[in-house]
Amino acid sequence: MNVIVLVSGGGTNLQALIDKNIPIKLVISSKEGVYAIERANKAGIPAVIIKNNDELLEKMCEINAELIVLAGYLKILPAEIINAYKERIINIHPALLPSFGGKGMYGLNVHKAVLDYGCKISGATVHFVNEGVDTGRIIAQKAIDILPNDTPETLQRRIMEQVEWVILPQAVWHLIGDVEASHSQGNS
Ligand code: GRF
């Protein structure tokens, strides 16, 4: 099973995948110098920087990627890549979709919007990537309570620790199982 992980930042979700023994073939970063690359290096996983979408698609084909995990990947993938890997690209979003998704909804912006709205719960969502922004079918979701004194920063941290780092590896293991089962039935 060829799993590749796309990153653009600190890579705490990548670390959660590493810690849960997900067999990652390659880490691709859209940016130089991000800590996610160091995490890959420390775990002995090959990592490359690719900024250009044509090169990205080429690389995915070259290594025969079967599951592509966007773990804090900040670029929007072009339709060409999304169509080539239908139901094979997943993303983690730090809110309960379909609320608080879409353009501009990333990082602390999400948690600020959730608090401004007065929400009493929030969480994270693992979903398939389609041509919209944060609109693909939901694979996994988990909610936590918002506390009276929460700030965007405290909420972000709690959602990462209690939700993202838990549901992302679980969802990936689940999908790996599905693909391996289809291989063994000769459906690959
Ligand atoms: C996470 O909050 C994730 O939900 C969002 O981007 C952030 C990435 O953080 N898509 P990290 O790079 O995994 O630490």
Side-chain angles (χ1 to χ4, degrees):
M1 176 79 187
N2 290 337
V3 180
I4 68 173
V5 181
L6 271 53
V7 296
S8 302
T12 61
N13 280 285
L14 167 67
Q15 190 65 52
L17 296 173
I18 293 169
D19 293 345
K20 289 283 177 310
N21 301 318
I22 301 288
I24 303 167
K25 183 106 180 189
L26 180 68
V27 170
I28 300 179
S29 173
S30 62
K31 288 189 193 166
E32 288 112 355
V34 296
Y35 194 62
I37 298 173
E38 211 160 300
R39 293 182 192 272
N41 290 341
K42 280 187 187 152
I45 300 166
V48 292
I49 293 152
I50 300 181
K51 297 177 183 176
N52 173 282
N53 285 329
D54 293 332
E55 277 174 42
L56 181 60
L57 181 56
E58 225 169 84
K59 187 55 122 187
M60 287 175 178
C61 295
E62 184 192 309
I63 69 161
N64 188 25
E66 290 174 286
L67 182 64
I68 295 135
V69 182
L70 309 188
Y73 187 67
L74 289 179
K75 284 180 72 179
I76 306 255
L77 292 174
E80 204 190 351
I81 294 185
I82 290 164
N83 291 330
Y85 290 92
K86 269 223 161 82
E87 308 258 296
R88 290 293 168 90
I89 307 176
I90 68 169
N91 180 47
I92 174 106
H93 182 78
L96 295 172
L97 292 175
S99 294
F100 304 105
K103 267 204 153 165
M105 281 293 147
Y106 61 86
L108 286 174
N109 294 351
V110 177
H111 306 291
K112 190 172 180 312
V114 165
L115 292 176
D116 284 349
Y117 220 97
C119 294
K120 304 302 173 222
I121 56 168
S122 191
T125 304
V126 180
H127 63 95
F128 286 112
V129 173
N130 65 8
E131 284 187 43
V133 180
D134 301 324
T135 55
R137 199 158 57 85
I138 292 168
I139 301 164
Q141 247 176 352
K142 186 174 183 285
I144 56 163
D145 287 334
I146 291 175
L147 305 177
N149 294 330
D150 261 329
T151 63
E153 289 79 8
T154 60
L155 185 58
Q156 178 184 54
R157 185 71 198 174
R158 229 172 43 258
I159 288 176
M160 282 182 144
E161 286 176 358
Q162 294 180 15
V163 184
E164 296 186 37
W165 304 342
V166 176
I167 66 171
L168 185 62
Q170 277 174 354
V172 172
W173 268 124
H174 181 80
L175 292 167
I176 288 176
D178 284 354
V179 172
E180 308 233 306
S182 84
H183 279 177
S184 65
Q185 287 159 17
N187 295 334
S188 61

